[in-house]
Amino acid sequence: MEALSLPAALALVAGGGAGLSPERRAALGASLPLLQRDYRFERVWFWGCIQGLRGAYYIAEGLGPNRAAPRSRLYSLNCLDWSLLTPATKEMLALAEQLKGRFQGDPSFEYNVAEINAEAAARLTEGGKEPVIKEEARLIATIEQIDRAVGIVPRGAFVKTPIGSVHENRHFEGLSLVEAKKLSSYFHFTEPVNLKNKTLLEKANLDPSTDFLDSLEHDIPRGSWSIQLEKGGTVVVLRSLLWLGLTFYHVPMTRQFGYVYFGTGEKNLDLPFML
């Protein structure tokens, strides 16, 4: 969610109960421009909030010229002071997937890996590492998991150049209302997986400059997205049922779109049984 349009964007996703207090909005309005200046980001996105038992993590993402490049992620406990997060590793992602329950809200809190997975703890011990994982590492991995699974953009909002870099499409003027109500009009803003498995015949009808990402229509399990029209039919809102709390909005025929996460950072593992 673009930092500059944060107040208006939050109003468009408020139908699902997501929001910030006036104090938090004011703090973000003051700190995010400073964050962009100090770290020399081209753009700053407010990613959302993961609520813990004793506090909340507010997340921001910094972007460079190439929008497909790894993003710099930062977190804050008060929306004023920000700390840079290290990139997620495969080990972090594997361990974080096994952690259950709510976040504590304390970055220094330690989870005992031996209580979760004895084999993983043994491997860490053999490698000379402590068999514990800090909540900060779990936070890094959870943000990465959510971005990969449900971080989405409208079709045509970004273009891929012949050299492989991805930039905002200056000619994008929004989806039509008819197209905006289709799952096929939205893409995962991450490295494609299903696209690589398409046949040459299926790829023949795709535009390589805009259709370089995976569409939501093939997401598993089917039915993991809810599409609704709000604000008198002027705003299309998509909500993830897999990661409850992720809300995406798009105002048809305009350049306004974005997503934000307000949740506990827990995956809805019961979704296949609920559909």
Side-chain angles (χ1 to χ4, degrees):
M1 186 175 283
E2 188 71 45
L4 294 176
S5 59
L6 188 59
L10 286 173
L12 295 176
V13 299
L20 294 168
S21 66
E23 293 81 3
R24 295 299 185 196
R25 290 192 189 192
L28 286 173
S31 65
L32 291 180
L34 296 176
L35 194 68
Q36 181 174 350
R37 183 199 67 185
D38 294 343
Y39 284 89
R40 298 182 180 179
F41 295 136
E42 189 168 291
R43 290 286 180 88
V44 169
W45 286 355
F46 176 67
W47 184 88
C49 170
I50 292 181
Q51 185 69 47
L53 295 173
R54 290 179 284 175
Y57 297 104
Y58 299 92
I59 315 299
E61 292 186 327
L63 294 87
N66 182 4
R67 298 295 190 260
R71 303 167 207 165
S72 298
R73 297 189 174 105
L74 305 97
Y75 77 93
S76 174
L77 301 176
N78 57 9
C79 295
L80 289 172
D81 304 309
W82 296 88
S83 300
L84 189 64
L85 292 168
T86 58
T89 63
K90 290 183 179 180
E91 185 181 64
M92 277 185 194
L93 293 169
L95 288 173
E97 285 182 354
Q98 300 172 49
L99 295 175
K100 309 298 179 187
R102 294 281 301 276
F103 278 78
Q104 297 298 312
D106 178 7
S108 61
F109 180 82
E110 295 182 343
Y111 298 90
N112 191 334
V113 179
E115 296 177 359
I116 305 163
N117 188 318
E119 293 182 7
R123 286 196 300 270
L124 287 173
T125 305
E126 289 173 4
K129 298 180 181 179
E130 296 256 348
V132 296
I133 178 173
K134 287 191 175 183
E135 183 156 279
E136 186 175 274
R138 183 189 180 189
L139 178 67
I140 295 167
T142 301
I143 297 170
E144 182 69 22
Q145 287 175 331
I146 294 174
D147 258 348
R148 287 184 184 181
V150 290
I152 62 176
V153 295
R155 180 181 184 271
F158 293 87
V159 293
K160 187 174 185 179
T161 65
I163 60 174
S165 60
V166 175
H167 304 278
E168 293 176 7
N169 185 0
R170 296 182 180 180
H171 301 289
F172 177 71
E173 296 298 336
L175 301 172
S176 67
L177 183 58
V178 174
E179 291 297 319
K181 292 188 286 185
K182 299 178 182 178
L183 275 181
S184 58
S185 298
Y186 302 95
F187 292 156
H188 289 281
F189 199 39
T190 186
E191 187 69 25
V193 177
N194 298 328
L195 186 65
K196 298 175 182 178
N197 299 326
K198 288 182 179 290
T199 64
L200 292 175
L201 188 61
E202 290 174 318
K203 291 180 179 179
N205 295 323
L206 300 180
D207 184 343
S209 65
T210 55
D211 299 318
F212 57 93
L213 300 169
D214 285 335
S215 168
L216 268 61
E217 62 180 334
H218 302 300
D219 279 13
I220 298 174
R222 290 189 178 276
S224 61
W225 288 97
S226 165
I227 302 183
Q228 297 170 328
L229 290 176
E230 298 187 359
K231 305 289 183 182
T234 59
V235 182
V236 178
V237 176
L238 279 73
R239 294 187 174 90
S240 173
L241 304 181
L242 185 63
W243 288 94
L244 296 171
L246 190 288
T247 306
F248 170 89
Y249 76 94
H250 176 49
V251 181
M253 305 306 293
T254 75
R255 299 172 62 89
Q256 298 179 57
F257 68 88
Y259 66 87
V260 68
Y261 179 81
F262 286 97
T264 61
E266 296 174 286
K267 191 176 184 179
N268 183 16
L269 300 175
D270 296 326
L271 179 60
F273 306 102
M274 296 167 64
L275 297 173

